[in-house]
Amino acid sequence: MSRKIIALLSLVLLVTSLVGVALAAEPDGNFRKGKYLFRKNCRTAGCHVAGGDGGDLSPATMTQAKWIETFTNWQEIPCVDSWGGLSDSDRKDIFTYMHDFAKDSPTPAKCS
């Protein structure tokens, strides 16, 4: 009987480990690429700068929770129409940059 219990517990542990590894395998976005894409598509385009149509925006403009909320509903972002050539991966990279350097992050952005 104890062998069956040990085998069952071992199986549960193995399955739990595999699920954990599978969930962790999804890579985060690349914040360096996100910073480049944000500057290229949002700041240089004149949208998110002081006096621009979208107002001055940087990662430190919002908290991490607010960035999560914003990018969860990214289709509702006012300037989404100007994102024409951005892929899902590009959006994930921009999100990672904005989120990781938000005003309440361990390393908030110091300048825009």
Side-chain angles (χ1 to χ4, degrees), residues 58-81:
S58 75
T61 307
M62 292 191 263
T63 63
Q64 289 180 321
K66 187 64 178 167
W67 283 120
I68 291 170
E69 180 184 326
T70 299
F71 275 83
T72 297
N73 303 311
W74 65 268
Q75 297 90 342
E76 297 172 15
I77 295 174
C79 58
V80 73
D81 293 338

Side-chain angles (χ1 to χ4, degrees), residues 39-55:
R39 287 184 173 181
K40 177 183 174 204
N41 294 292
C42 305
R43 295 198 66 83
T44 305
C47 184
H48 291 296
V49 293
D53 293 338

